[in-house]
Amino acid sequence: HEESASAAGSDGTERPRTATDAFAARLAASLFDNGPGGFGPEPLATLIASGQNLLQADGDGATLLHHACEQGHLDAVVMLVEAGAALEALARDGRTPLHMACVMAGSDQARGTGHVECAKYLQAQGVASDYYHAGRPEAERTHVHLSFLSGQTPVVAATVAFGMGID
């Protein structure tokens, strides 16, 4: 018995029609690699070719692009972006696909290793992002900080260090 979900969530984001649809789509993006247990690119290519709604989100609000970035699958990210995936879609926790790529970079809990490449690709595609570092001139740091606070720049990469000026 499949559990049905509404076509659109309360936030307007498209939701899967069934739990099985969401699970299959998530697996296609997450298990994109050819490693042990991986599906390779065919299932994702099939989903895209079938007209799968790329704005469709799972129960956490994460899209296929979120999952591909989380797992560091650059080829999957490129396929999804070229097919029209929303670059700055927000999951329920407020994370964007770029955020997922940055958070998971260097993680041993991801199937792929292309997180940095995913982040660079998304930035090259126009995702609003910047960086904050103590080595930048004060005027630049202030601009980045205010841009982030206003929502103009939703993703800012910063070093984790006490006293950096962002509390």
Side-chain angles (χ1 to χ4, degrees):
H1 172 297
E2 284 186 346
E3 183 179 318
S4 292
S6 63
S10 59
D11 61 358
T13 303
E14 287 291 318
R15 298 284 183 241
R17 299 214 181 271
T18 66
T20 304
D21 292 344
F23 184 69
R26 181 176 178 173
L27 285 178
S30 297
L31 302 176
F32 184 82
D33 60 281
N34 286 315
F39 296 153
E42 291 81 18
L44 184 59
T46 300
L47 281 173
I48 291 170
S50 72
Q52 173 79 20
N53 180 357
L54 300 179
L55 297 178
Q56 190 175 51
D58 64 14
D60 294 325
T63 65
L64 295 176
L65 188 56
H66 282 90
H67 291 293
C69 287
E70 177 183 30
Q71 295 303 321
H73 296 312
L74 178 60
D75 290 339
V77 169
V78 171
M79 285 174 66
L80 289 164
V81 170
E82 288 178 354
L87 298 175
E88 296 182 8
L90 295 176
R92 290 192 184 187
D93 62 5
R95 293 183 179 191
T96 65
L98 176 61
H99 187 185
M100 295 307 302
C102 292
V103 166
M104 295 300 290
S107 172
D108 61 358
Q109 300 200 2
R111 292 187 61 89
T113 58
H115 297 93
V116 172
E117 292 80 8
C118 289
K120 287 180 180 179
Y121 176 78
L122 291 173
Q123 287 176 308
Q125 298 306 305
V127 172
S129 62
D130 209 333
Y131 71 97
Y132 187 98
H133 188 275
R136 287 186 90 171
E138 183 177 353
E140 288 181 21
R141 291 194 319 266
T142 299
H143 173 76
V144 170
H145 192 170
L146 294 175
S147 180
F148 175 73
L149 291 175
S150 72
Q152 238 177 351
T153 305
V155 177
V156 173
T159 54
V160 179
F162 182 73
M164 289 292 296
I166 296 189
D167 299 323

